Amino acid sequence: HLQGHTPYYENAYRLRQKDGGYRWVEVRAQTVDWDEQGRPVQLVGTVMDVSERKRLDDELRQASERLQRELDERIRLEDRLIQSQKMESIGQLAAGVAHEINNPLAFVGSNLNTLKRYVASLQRMLDAYAALEAAGAKLPMLAAALKAVDSVRQADRIDFKR
C-alpha cells in the first residue's frame, strides 16, 4: 500500500499483554496525504480487537474437524455394515443352494434302501424264473408258459441285458 499497489492496508497481529496473554487486533489504514516526493505522510485507520472472533473461528474450526472425523468414522462403519450385510446375504444364498442340493440327495439317499429291496426282490424272481426254465425243458406245458414270460422279460429288458 505504501508503494501505491493497493488502495488500503490491512493486516492482523497478535499482541502480548502485560499479564502474558495474547490479543488479536486487525489493522486497516489508508494513506490520505503524500509529500512532494510521493511518500506517504499521513495514514488514517482503525485498530480493532478481534480476539473473540479469532477464538470463535478456532472453536468453529475444531468443531468442524471433529465433525469431519465423526463423519469419516460413520462412513467407515456404514461401509463395514454394508460389507457385513453382503456377507450375510452370501451366507443365506449358500445355505439356500446347499438346501436345494441336499433335498434331492436326501430323497435319493432315503430311497436307496427301498430300491435295494426292490432289486433284491426282482433278482429272486429272476432266479426263480431261471430255475423254472431249467425244469421247463422237461415239461412241455410249462415250456410254453416260460416262453411267454421270457418274451415279456426280453421286451422289457427286465434282467438288464441289452
Side-chain angles (χ1 to χ4, degrees):
H1 171 72
L2 296 177
Q3 294 173 353
H5 298 295
T6 59
Y8 58 90
Y9 171 79
E10 181 177 28
N11 210 345
Y13 298 96
R14 186 175 76 152
L15 303 176
R16 187 170 185 161
Q17 297 176 302
K18 287 182 185 180
D19 65 2
Y22 289 94
R23 304 293 287 174
W24 280 93
V25 294
E26 189 174 88
V27 177
R28 291 184 187 196
Q30 183 174 13
T31 305
V32 292
D33 194 17
W34 291 267
D35 64 12
E36 296 81 28
Q37 286 85 24
R39 293 178 297 204
V41 176
Q42 186 178 13
L43 285 124
V44 174
T46 59
V47 176
M48 184 171 28
D49 185 350
V50 292
S51 300
E52 183 65 15
R53 187 180 77 197
K54 281 281 197 182
R55 186 187 64 76
L56 291 173
D57 284 348
D58 286 344
E59 286 179 12
L60 182 61
R61 181 187 46 78
Q62 290 171 0
S64 176
E65 289 171 356
R66 191 172 48 252
L67 284 174
Q68 186 62 48
R69 284 191 303 271
E70 290 173 4
L71 179 62
D72 292 344
E73 179 64 20
R74 181 178 179 150
I75 289 171
R76 278 192 299 277
L77 289 173
E78 285 176 354
D79 287 345
R80 287 176 56 195
L81 178 62
I82 289 170
Q83 187 66 24
S84 174
Q85 288 172 338
K86 286 179 184 178
M87 294 303 288
E88 180 184 1
S89 295
I90 289 171
Q92 288 176 348
L93 178 64
V97 168
H99 180 72
E100 290 300 318
I101 290 172
N102 282 337
N103 276 350
L105 288 178
F107 174 78
V108 168
S110 69
N111 287 301
L112 282 177
N113 285 333
T114 304
L115 181 62
K116 189 176 180 181
R117 282 195 318 268
Y118 287 159
V119 167
S121 174
L122 193 57
Q123 189 60 50
R124 284 193 306 275
M125 186 182 76
L126 289 173
D127 291 343
Y129 282 140
L132 226 78
E133 270 182 319
K138 299 173 187 161
L139 302 168
M141 208 160 95
L142 188 56
L146 284 173
K147 196 176 209 178
V149 168
D150 188 49
S151 69
V152 169
R153 187 175 69 203
Q154 286 179 9
D156 292 344
R157 292 190 307 207
I158 204 158
D159 54 2
F160 305 108
K161 293 182 183 173
R162 296 199 182 246

